[in-house]
Amino acid sequence: MRCVRRRLPALALAAVLPLTSCGWDLDASAPAPAPSVSSAPPTGLTAQVAAADAGRAREPVAAPLATAKQVTADATAADEPALPSGGGGATTALGGGASAPVVHERAVGSALVRFWPVRSVRTGRDVFEYHFEASIENRGTGLLRGALRVASSAAATRVVADCVPFGTTPPGTTRAGDARFAVAQQRRAAFDPQQLAFTLAPSDAGCADPGRVTLRRLNRTEYDHTVRDLLGTSLRPAVDFPADDSTYGFDTVAETLSLSPLLFEKLDVAAVKLVADALGAEPPSPQIAALRALCDPALESAPGCHRRMLAAFARRAWRRPPARDEVESLARVADRAVAAGHDFEAALADGMEAVLVSPHFVFRVERDPHARSAQAHPLGDHELAARLSYFLWASMPDPELDALADAGVLHEPATLAAQVARMIRDPKVQGFVESFGGQWLATRALDDVNPDVPYYYDWSDELREAMRQETHLFLRDLVRSEGSFLDLLDAEFTYANDRLAAHYGLPLPGTTELVRIDLAGHAERGGILTHGSVASAGSFPRRTSPVKRGKWILDQLLCIEIDPPPAGVEGFLTDPNRRTLREQLALHRSRPECASCHAYLDPLGLALEHYGPIGAYRTEVAAGAIDASGTLPDGRAFTDARELAALLKTDANTPRCIAERVLVYALGRGLGGDDARHVDAITAAFAAGGYRFESLLVALVQSPAFAMRRGQPDAGAP
């Protein structure tokens, strides 16, 4: 049974067949090799890898958690077809008695190609896979990675490889140095890795496919924040809207943000209420005061004033300058109201309502002059401004972003970097913290937490809200911090008020407001795994759920997906002879259909057992002292949540998973295709910046995935 898999393979393959398993899993999730011909290839197994060029054994390469592989009970050496032999280097033993792959090197023009076999699996036919990398000399910096496969039933080898980025070039421009490797076709019977013919050839297009995002409706959070910033209103009409669906972990994904008849009706009602509230407020909000200052109907004609005011209002609401015919259409709405006997203000209100029910307000429409082109091309600056503001603020662009977009300079890398620095220090970054953090760190799930109060009498709505705010304030500090964002896992500070501090057993700060407190000397607290929000969201009304907690760690911090239980398997097994929760969970691992998943889930979840169903620290339960120790599938051991956090902080998958989760949220779509390459680049920049969150954000908004798009040959402009 295939249970555990990486959500997005780390090897950046432009197209690759699914890596299924029976016995051994192919290591599709090994970290990408560093851009150096002296680095060992990733194998995902602890091994001594021989270098073909020097013939000397390398140091063992420790596999990260996500790539640890285990042999199932029925796997035998007979399941593994023999790998093609290759000369030029020694081999050493892998676990299970197999041989380590030989690293081959080949000079191809100005490139040095290194390639090696990856262990195959039993899939009904013999399949061999070789991963390779190429370092290009004297052409700037670049690394080419890919995979080729040879199947016994196939007539030829097929290869897919990345482009090689030579130096830096503005997005959307053609780089003459881009190249792809081609590999001569060989029949399986004659396959010899030493005879592979690599050639370096120009690529036909730019390196990375930025993917496509469909028309994207404002979700409830974005709608409320947008009307707040557009009108200066305190109304929150989206509370009456139907709930937004969530896909890939977020409610920003375009494909699930549909427009039902009920929602359309609610949007119409909301537009009327919002405009009436904004125009009737005394004193008016700064936004409405600025709108009225554009024109005095006592000095100019009403139609002229309406056109000027509605054009300015539509410019802000639609996140772009409206076309002349669009302004005329809005003005006709106001003209008809005047003709029907309405006064100037009422006619203006009709025009503003038309702006708010327009698809250009309700949806984030990205106009594309190259909608029929399959080639990647840059977003317009106004579309880029909207992507940036809804990403970091969950709201519309502010006047500074609008001005930069109008001037056509927002897309410049230095400008984007400066705007990221400004925006994360603006109070509106709370929109990102609550929307992204609320879903990634599960603080929204606190709304569904209802402990059995007779058992947990300390629970209250006040405590629930304090836990939520603790995690939000903690995340906001890390987003703005000059230090490592990976401190998320073990930071020695948190936020608390008297209510939360008493619940945690910490000294009282003497305030009802949450303030930052130092956790030095309190070894049981520190990092997100010890937050009450995580503990409570991962519990049932009367007990903790190591399975829920373990799944959250795998899914959100390591991007490892766990399949649902097989049909017919009970949700939780009990045995009267097994008293502790640890003993009960061991029943899962005693059954083959459960073991493959619970071997990953249970140790991670049990590490958090010191934190009860509502996050209070404890050392024992009725059945005895708590044992929070465990061993990861790759053999690394820990004794409690703090030691597990230390392992996660140094795991290669953690920063990459953070980059993946942020990218999904920012793009509003799932990842696939060339996105592994984008994630590779963003993660590398994240690491180069000392894991400062700002460095991740800058790399993300400058990436082709965020700053570019492609059309469809059979599609018209939106």
Side-chain angles (χ1 to χ4, degrees), residues 279 291-292 295-298 300-310 334 337-338 341-351:
L279 295 181
L291 187 65
R292 286 175 172 155
C295 183
D296 185 351
E300 299 183 43
S301 68
C305 277
H306 282 147
R307 278 167 174 75
R308 187 180 307 175
M309 296 171 76
L310 290 174
V338 171
H342 296 292
D343 62 19
F344 179 87
E345 196 88 345
L348 176 64
D350 283 359

Side-chain angles (χ1 to χ4, degrees), residues 402-432:
D402 282 342
L404 291 169
D406 289 345
V409 297
L410 180 60
H411 67 278
E412 296 174 359
T415 304
L416 280 173
Q419 287 304 303
V420 167
R422 176 182 73 90
M423 293 174 72
I424 63 175
R425 290 165 180 84
D426 188 284
K428 285 190 287 188
V429 78
Q430 192 68 18
F432 172 82

Side-chain angles (χ1 to χ4, degrees), residues 375-395:
Q375 299 296 319
H377 48 273
L379 283 172
D381 277 42
H382 295 105
E383 288 76 16
L384 185 58
R387 281 198 183 187
L388 191 59
S389 66
Y390 281 101
F391 171 32
L392 295 180
W393 288 343
S395 187

